[in-house]
């Protein structure tokens, strides 16, 4: 809901709350997008606001309030800001492990930092049968890239730091009989980002 509130705040800086929806044109929506970029909004945030506004206009079309959405042909833009990407150093990794409340979190962080798994999509699909201890590697299924034939899955080495945490996780009594490495997260929303921040 936060994205909707932020979108609403930015939208009504450009448009009047009492303005008829049918009066809003594609040209004016483009001006709105341009003005947000000009005032320093991050490109990824602007893309999310434009996408949200387009969804609202599409809903208005479904309700027969509009015959055509003014946002139909407006490009959303890039959702990801790669400028914020950075490598987590091994010193930072060690501090993260020390701060973990349990082995679940230590394993999650090891799989993400050492194994390079996407969170939560690839973590959620990881099964114990995918872990080949004797071969010192494991299979990762990639739901985000599965539509590309050669990118449906990949094999990842069991690096020493990762193997240590995975073995500790496997040795837990409640884990040994599970199909998935993170069984308890199969039926719940992960909310990893919010839990990680806490």
């Amino acid at each position: 809901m936060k994205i909707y509130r932020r979108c609403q705040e930015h939208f009504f800086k450009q448009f009047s709350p009492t303005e008829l929806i049918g009066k809003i044109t594609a040209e004016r929506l483009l001006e709105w997008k341009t003005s947000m970029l000009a005032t320093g909004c991050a490109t990824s945030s602007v893309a999310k606001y434009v996408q949200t506004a387009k969804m609202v206009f599409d809903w208005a079309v479904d309700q027969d309030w509009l015959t055509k959405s003014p946002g139909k042909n407006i490009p959303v833009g890039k959702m990801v800001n790669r400028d914020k990407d950075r490598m987590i150093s091994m010193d930072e990794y060690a501090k993260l492990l020390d701060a973990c409340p349990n082995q679940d979190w230590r394993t999650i962080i090891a799989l993400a930092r050492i194994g390079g798994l996407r969170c939560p999509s690839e973590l959620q699909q990881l099964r114990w049968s995918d872990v080949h201890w004797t071969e010192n590697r494991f299979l990762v299924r990639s739901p985000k890239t599965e539509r590309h034939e050669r990118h449906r899955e990949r094999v990842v080495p069991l690096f020493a730091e990762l193997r240590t945490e995975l073995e500790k996780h496997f040795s837990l009594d409640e884990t040994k009989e599970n199909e998935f490495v993170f069984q308890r997260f199969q039926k719940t929303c992960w909310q990893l980002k919010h839990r990680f921040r806490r």
Side-chain angles (χ1 to χ4, degrees):
M1 293 303 291
K2 183 180 178 182
I3 190 69
Y4 286 100
R5 287 195 296 271
R6 295 290 295 145
C7 177
Q8 188 178 39
E9 288 170 18
H10 284 282
F11 189 83
F12 288 122
K13 287 178 183 176
Q14 183 84 11
F15 302 97
S16 167
T18 58
E19 187 169 355
L20 294 175
I21 194 170
K23 299 289 185 183
I24 297 173
T25 63
E27 291 75 21
R28 293 181 63 207
L29 281 177
L30 275 172
E31 288 173 9
W32 171 58
K33 179 181 177 181
T34 304
S35 70
M36 285 191 289
L37 291 168
T39 55
C41 274
T43 54
S44 56
S45 296
V46 171
K48 288 174 187 172
Y49 301 149
V50 171
Q51 182 186 50
T52 303
K54 288 177 72 161
M55 287 169 53
V56 172
F57 282 110
D58 288 343
W59 179 82
V61 171
D62 291 342
Q63 302 303 307
D64 293 326
W65 294 356
L66 296 172
T67 55
K68 181 184 175 183
S69 167
K72 183 175 174 117
N73 296 317
I74 293 178
V76 170
K78 293 184 179 179
M79 294 280 197
V80 179
N81 184 359
R82 292 295 178 197
D83 294 337
K84 293 184 178 180
D85 287 359
R86 71 177 184 87
M87 183 64 72
I88 301 298
S89 72
M90 290 306 288
D91 285 342
E92 291 172 309
Y93 169 71
K95 289 177 183 176
L96 285 169
L97 288 187
D98 289 342
C100 287
N102 54 43
Q103 189 57 45
D104 270 356
W105 274 104
R106 289 179 67 93
T107 309
I108 287 169
I109 289 171
L111 284 165
R113 170 58 181 87
I114 308 298
L117 272 69
R118 293 182 178 95
C119 303
S121 60
E122 292 180 347
L123 287 174
Q124 194 168 21
Q125 292 200 14
L126 188 62
R127 293 170 169 82
W128 287 117
S129 59
D130 297 330
V131 181
H132 305 289
W133 301 104
T134 55
E135 297 171 26
N136 214 35
R137 63 186 187 179
F138 64 105
L139 180 72
V140 177
R141 293 178 179 83
S142 306
K144 287 194 173 183
T145 57
E146 65 184 356
R147 64 186 178 276
H148 306 294
E149 189 175 340
R150 295 185 181 180
H151 299 279
R152 291 177 183 166
E153 55 190 35
R154 65 185 185 279
V155 175
V156 178
L158 265 176
F159 299 105
E161 300 90 345
L162 175 53
R163 185 176 184 122
T164 298
E165 299 305 328
L166 208 52
E167 284 178 340
K168 287 180 184 175
H169 189 68
F170 183 69
S171 70
L172 299 173
D173 289 339
E174 67 270 20
T175 305
K176 288 180 180 177
E177 303 302 320
N178 292 340
E179 175 186 1
F180 292 93
V181 174
F182 300 103
Q183 189 74 32
R184 68 189 181 96
F185 293 134
Q186 293 308 306
K187 295 182 180 178
T188 60
C189 183
W190 275 49
Q191 299 286 329
L192 279 183
K193 181 169 70 172
H194 304 300
R195 293 184 187 184
F196 185 77
R197 282 178 178 166
R198 284 202 295 269

